[in-house]
Amino acid sequence: MAAARTSFAHCCSRARVDYNTKNPCYVFKAIVSPDNSAVAASLSNNAIKLYSCSVAGLSHVADIPAHSATISDVQFPFSSLPQALYSCSRDGHVKAWDLRSRQLAESYQAHHHQELYAFSVNDNLVAAGGRGDVHFWERRTQQR
């Protein structure tokens, strides 16, 4: 029996997220946009770093001061809207960002600022999970 060969891809690009060597930040999650034009990285300093993707590699576009506590999840939930980035945080918020303007587009707050760890979004509903609870919001009215 022939030994299986494993193929490894080599890193084609990298981007530094932090230059503060005394208190470095860390990347918790990195995600590629549905159209492959951008990469968003959630950082331990409660920000989202945005990069554009090209044949030449990654180039830094912006830092979005997204939350007041650790960002637990980021997603590009809509393939038809690659400029829409959502994030949730231990600060009790799910937020939607318009990456064209880098502005907040939608915001949902958990009851009593409960920490949120994961979420999902569709055309009509936002759902997020915290300690012992799942929170639901209607997207059109932004009501619980």
Side-chain angles (χ1 to χ4, degrees):
M1 185 152 133
R5 295 191 66 190
T6 303
S7 175
F8 294 97
H10 296 280
C11 181
C12 63
S13 182
R14 73 179 214 174
R16 184 86 186 140
V17 297
D18 185 16
Y19 293 97
N20 181 353
T21 57
K22 292 183 181 180
N23 187 21
C25 70
Y26 301 92
V27 176
F28 290 132
K29 186 172 182 179
I31 187 164
V32 179
S33 66
D35 64 356
N36 297 315
S37 67
V39 171
S42 66
L43 306 179
S44 59
N45 66 0
N46 310 331
I48 297 171
K49 221 172 244 289
L50 184 62
Y51 300 92
S52 66
C53 300
S54 69
V55 176
L58 296 175
S59 59
H60 179 254
V61 174
D63 288 355
I64 301 171
H67 290 274
S68 61
T70 303
I71 299 170
S72 48
D73 199 4
V74 291
Q75 298 177 20
F76 287 100
F78 304 111
S79 59
S80 61
L81 293 170
Q83 69 279 1
L85 175 70
Y86 283 71
S87 60
C88 81
S89 168
R90 293 178 63 184
D91 67 7
H93 289 87
V94 176
K95 295 181 177 182
W97 304 93
D98 182 338
L99 297 183
R100 295 168 297 190
S101 65
R102 298 178 196 93
Q103 298 295 312
L104 184 63
E106 299 172 24
S107 182
Y108 307 91
Q109 182 178 340
H111 190 63
H112 298 296
H113 296 279
Q114 182 179 358
E115 294 179 348
L116 298 176
Y117 300 106
F119 73 99
S120 183
V121 179
N122 69 21
D123 290 337
N124 302 312
L125 192 66
V126 175
R131 291 185 180 167
D133 292 317
V134 177
H135 304 267
F136 299 95
W137 297 270
E138 158 66 59
R139 281 193 62 223
R140 288 183 182 89
T141 62
Q142 297 187 2
Q143 298 295 313
R144 284 179 53 102

